[in-house]
Amino acid sequence: MTSVKHGMSHWYDPIPLARIAVRVVVSSVFGAFADRRELVAAVNPVANHPFDPTHDYSDHYNEAGEFWFDFLADTGDGWASTRAVAQLASGECIRPDGWDGALPRGQLLVMGGDQVYPTASHQAYHERLVAPWESACEDVPRALGLEADRADLGDLYAIPGNHDWYDGLIAFSHLFARRTYASPHLASMVRTGKIIARRQTRQVRSYFALKLPHGWWMWGTDSQLEGFIDQPQVDFFRYVAQQWMDPGSKLILCVGQPSWTYVDPADPRPAFNSFAFLSRLAADTLGRNGQPSGHQLKLVLTGDAHHYARHMENDVHYVTAGGGGAFLHPTHQLRQHIAFAWESPPPNQSELAGRKTYPRHFELARSAGEEGTEAVYPSRRDSFVQSLKTLGFAAYNPKFVLLYACFYGLLLWAMEARVANHKAGEMLARFQKLDGDYGAALAGIIDMMVHTPVVVVLLLMTWGVYIYFADWQDSRLRRTIAGSIHAIGHIALFMAIAAAALPAYGQWVAGRQASVAQSSTVAVTGKPDMSERVANPEPSQSRQMAPLSDQADDTGTWNAVTSGLLVAMGAGLASASWFGLYLFGSLTMTGRHWNEAFSATRIRHFKNMLRMKIDADGLTLYPVGIRHVPGSDVPGRDIRGEMIEQPLHIA
């Protein structure tokens, strides 16, 4: 399979956009009826096995008692950005700007979801994930005497995100969860995992539990497309918490999305329910002796949002690190405080008898050692500067401009057919009297649209699409208002541009009327109207002596076609520009449409990853960013990275 150096995914190209929509619908429908997680769990039952020793890293520390490991999410998009992060993660160590020491390469790499864009397939994984990662490893020296096909950069684990689920998790399972147990009750054999970028995959499901040194554990969870946690997965983690984890263990929880930032405080259940359950699962599970386990959640890691942001709730840190290679997401729309009532207390707190709700309060953290600086990357200022690119939506998405142009061309064709064949008599006098009167032309366009049922239906349908598109799911009224403003802007631009071409169209209608009148004369009398001809002209004079109505018709037709094309393209360009302005305004003024706005510009810069260390004193987190990503034709071997914030210590 050949490797292609893909650019960033073009989310507004009509054909790929349609394919993504189909994939989303199909995967959502079939995922609800045939959950692949349950099938895999049946093939690899946990109850028949003790704790998998390959998932035990409790004694994998170095001479200083340190265990290093990495986390990143949302990779496998553009070649340049994916390879840059892979280069940073695969080197012997990171020496980031803003930090004097060296950060050794992790023995373990965890990918936190959405390993491929835009949709999952075997080919997409190979071209957008495996190939750039293996390219980044080509310059990393191999251990002496180690065969070329052996893993020497540690182990690799991954949890799926929604994009990994768009093929029903088939390609993800083949790539990351190929390993199987040999069960005495099933006709099965031991199968080893794949080697990807000189890293060994060892998981047997789409979720996993890892035992780390000094009493730490990591859980990687799979919440499918809608945040649903299947029962076999719940049973697995309960079994881990009760049978394998020592009482009082410290937990790192990897989840598919930052539910604490997506939550709607007025209606928190849709976004927060599954996460709230997972965050308390370890502590709420009784130990082997029937007593409380005492497990403590210390750190939550996630991606899905393609930036770095750290929130806190009491003593628990919630870190979003989705800068593994996908297009950048903004940070200047993030809320400083998120508060709401919930039916269970925060992690590490006990329920109180008789109490039905508990306050939940997530606060955007401040960078350690830099008082007053928010723990986000890019900064709010840099994020706003990048958002200005949304105003160039039309330039970034020329095929979307063409889509609009085709739509407006369809409207013009429908209007011409209706007016020329059914309303020409009424319209003709009005067109001929325009004489540069733009107001009259605009009124004529409105009249034409109103008297063309197909146009009315199409515009009403697109109006509904704009309302559906509006990012106000929490308020039907606001969604309707925002969508209507968006729709009215498009319609107004089309009418304004079309009105400028209406006089040329009027001339064409006049030509058609004259031609139709002459054809009628021939049909009635059997003879052409010779009032404007010279009797019996020579053939060489036939074109010069053609009816004036024919000449007017030819000229008018050409003018009308030219004007129609210009109107369609001009309206398409104007609508695409208005689309970008709508996204920019929504993001800037309300914090909405942050995903749609930044996916339009496909910014490959401001990538990030986490390098972490566990020792006897606890866990230390080193967030590292890449401010500028070189192009795909630049090797990028000099990437150093920069410290996003000072190291964070969690005891």
Side-chain angles (χ1 to χ4, degrees):
M1 190 179 294
T2 59
S3 297
V4 180
K5 293 185 178 182
H6 290 283
M8 306 297 282
S9 298
H10 288 237
W11 296 95
Y12 287 91
D13 279 8
I15 295 178
L17 187 63
R19 290 174 179 169
I20 294 171
V22 171
R23 283 288 191 100
V24 171
V25 172
V26 172
S27 58
S28 298
V29 172
F30 284 93
F33 292 97
D35 195 329
R36 187 174 180 82
R37 296 173 299 182
E38 298 184 0
L39 299 177
V40 174
V43 174
N44 292 289
V46 173
N48 294 333
H49 300 275
F51 179 62
D52 188 344
T54 62
H55 296 168
D56 186 355
Y57 298 87
S58 59
D59 60 353
H60 286 210
Y61 45 80
N62 58 22
E63 295 179 355
E66 301 171 341
F67 175 77
W68 291 83
F69 61 108
D70 299 336
F71 176 89
L72 57 90
D74 300 278
T75 185
D77 192 356
W79 175 282
S81 55
T82 301
R83 190 188 188 282
V85 176
Q87 182 79 22
L88 191 68
S90 301
E92 183 177 354
C93 64
I94 301 176
R95 300 181 183 274
D97 296 335
W99 181 251
D100 294 333
L103 309 176
R105 180 177 58 236
Q107 301 179 44
L108 185 69
L109 171 62
V110 177
M111 293 184 175
D114 289 341
Q115 279 69 239
V116 68
Y117 288 86
T119 57
S121 69
H122 294 288
Q123 181 177 355
Y125 274 111
H126 174 80
E127 294 180 352
R128 291 186 176 271
L129 177 71
V130 176
W133 271 84
E134 291 186 342
S135 173
C137 295
E138 291 176 354
D139 301 318
V140 180
R142 284 191 173 274
L144 294 177
L146 189 68
E147 295 87 347
D149 60 345
R150 297 289 299 277
D152 64 336
L153 298 186
D155 293 339
L156 172 62
Y157 293 84
I159 62 173
N162 58 305
H163 290 271
D164 301 293
W165 266 98
Y166 286 161
D167 72 335
L169 210 64
I170 295 174
F172 176 94
S173 300
H174 176 76
L175 192 64
F176 295 104
R178 181 180 180 274
R179 179 170 172 256
T180 59
Y181 298 127
S183 173
H185 304 292
L186 298 172
S188 61
M189 298 180 63
V190 174
R191 187 170 63 222
T192 59
K194 282 182 172 291
I195 296 177
I196 304 172
R198 293 164 59 180
R199 291 171 172 84
Q200 180 69 59
T201 60
R202 298 189 182 279
Q203 66 196 81
V204 297
R205 302 182 181 185
S206 58
Y207 47 90
F208 55 83
L210 307 178
K211 186 177 183 180
L212 307 179
H214 305 294
W216 287 81
W217 281 75
M218 174 182 281
W219 287 5
T221 64
D222 176 8
S223 54
Q224 208 209 40
L225 290 166
E226 302 295 334
F228 171 69
I229 307 298
D230 58 302
Q231 189 59 47
Q233 185 174 182
V234 173
D235 294 341
F236 170 77
F237 285 119
R238 279 182 173 156
Y239 190 88
V240 171
Q242 182 181 80
Q243 301 296 327
W244 295 345
M245 296 173 66
D246 295 328
S249 294
K250 290 164 283 190
L251 179 63
I252 303 169
L253 180 65
C254 301
V255 296
Q257 64 181 28
S259 301
W260 52 94
T261 62
Y262 292 174
V263 67
D264 175 14
D267 184 21
R269 179 168 293 278
F272 199 71
N273 189 49
S274 292
F275 171 73
F277 174 78
L278 281 174
S279 65
R280 294 190 56 85
L281 183 58
D284 289 347
T285 301
L286 298 178
R288 291 184 291 270
N289 57 3
Q291 299 299 315
S293 62
H295 303 320
Q296 291 187 318
L297 179 65
K298 292 293 187 178
L299 175 64
V300 180
L301 302 177
T302 191
D304 198 61
H306 309 163
H307 55 228
Y308 174 86
R310 180 167 61 87
H311 289 77
M312 288 196 67
E313 184 187 34
N314 301 323
D315 61 342
V316 181
H317 296 264
Y318 299 81
V319 178
T320 303
F327 67 90
L328 178 68
H329 273 151
T331 58
H332 63 283
Q333 88 290 355
L334 293 176
R335 293 168 287 182
Q336 181 68 51
H337 307 281
I338 305 169
F340 55 93
W342 191 249
E343 58 196 33
S344 59
N348 310 329
Q349 295 185 15
S350 301
E351 294 187 5
L352 301 177
R355 187 163 186 175
K356 295 183 178 180
T357 61
Y358 301 81
R360 302 300 301 266
H361 184 200
F362 297 88
E363 183 171 359
L364 195 59
R366 298 285 173 176
S367 299
E370 300 177 16
E371 186 176 355
T373 302
E374 292 178 323
V376 297
Y377 186 80
S379 67
R380 288 187 186 268
R381 179 183 179 278
D382 288 336
S383 175
F384 175 76
V385 171
Q386 295 297 318
S387 73
L388 294 173
K389 296 180 180 179
T390 310
L391 297 174
F393 182 96
Y396 282 101
N397 303 278
K399 292 183 180 179
F400 206 69
V401 175
L402 184 61
L403 177 64
Y404 268 124
C406 292
F407 175 72
Y408 291 132
L410 177 63
L411 295 187
L412 290 171
W413 175 80
M415 290 162 61
E416 179 275 320
R418 176 69 178 177
V419 173
N421 295 326
H422 300 279
K423 300 290 293 183
E426 278 180 39
M427 294 291 180
L428 183 57
R430 195 173 302 167
F431 292 160
Q432 291 174 330
K433 294 178 181 179
L434 290 179
D435 295 330
D437 186 347
Y438 185 78
L442 189 59
I445 284 292
I446 295 175
D447 203 2
M448 291 169 64
M449 294 172 64
V450 170
H451 287 87
T452 310
V454 173
V455 171
V456 174
V457 171
L458 288 175
L459 290 179
L460 289 177
M461 290 176 61
T462 55
W463 196 312
V465 170
Y466 288 127
I467 292 176
Y468 179 81
F469 176 76
D471 191 15
W472 291 92
Q473 288 80 4
D474 54 337
S475 172
R476 182 175 298 178
L477 176 61
R478 293 179 179 178
R479 188 176 193 177
T480 302
I481 293 173
S484 296
I485 292 174
H486 193 186
I488 290 171
H490 287 287
I491 296 172
L493 287 170
F494 169 68
M495 292 191 304
I497 294 173
L502 191 57
Y505 179 74
Q507 294 176 8
W508 178 64
V509 172
R512 288 195 61 178
Q513 286 294 299
S515 179
V516 170
Q518 181 172 356
S519 298
S520 300
T521 300
V522 173
V524 173
T525 65
K527 299 179 181 180
D529 185 358
M530 304 299 291
S531 61
E532 297 184 11
R533 290 179 182 262
V534 176
N536 301 318
E538 295 295 329
S540 61
Q541 299 176 319
S542 60
R543 178 165 183 81
Q544 288 81 1
M545 303 305 295
L548 294 179
S549 59
D550 288 353
Q551 297 179 33
D553 189 44
D554 292 341
T555 303
T557 300
W558 174 253
N559 290 340
V561 171
T562 303
S563 299
L565 290 174
L566 291 176
V567 168
M569 291 304 300
L573 183 61
S575 272
S577 300
W578 166 244
F579 197 102
L581 181 60
Y582 166 81
L583 294 177
F584 175 79
S586 298
L587 173 59
T588 303
M589 294 186 292
T590 68
R592 308 279 175 153
H593 284 299
W594 51 270
N595 180 54
E596 292 82 3
F598 270 59
S599 63
T601 54
R602 309 183 298 278
I603 300 168
R604 70 171 185 263
H605 308 297
F606 294 99
K607 302 299 101 181
N608 67 76
M609 61 166 288
L610 305 178
R611 182 144 288 179
M612 291 171 280
K613 176 186 70 175
I614 291 178
D615 57 19
D617 296 328
L619 182 147
T620 305
L621 187 148
Y622 302 85
V624 182
I626 303 174
R627 181 169 292 268
H628 177 75
V629 173
S632 59
D633 56 339
V634 180
R637 299 172 186 173
D638 58 344
I639 292 176
R640 290 173 52 89
E642 60 181 354
M643 290 295 293
I644 295 175
E645 59 173 322
Q646 292 302 303
L648 174 68
H649 184 73
I650 304 173

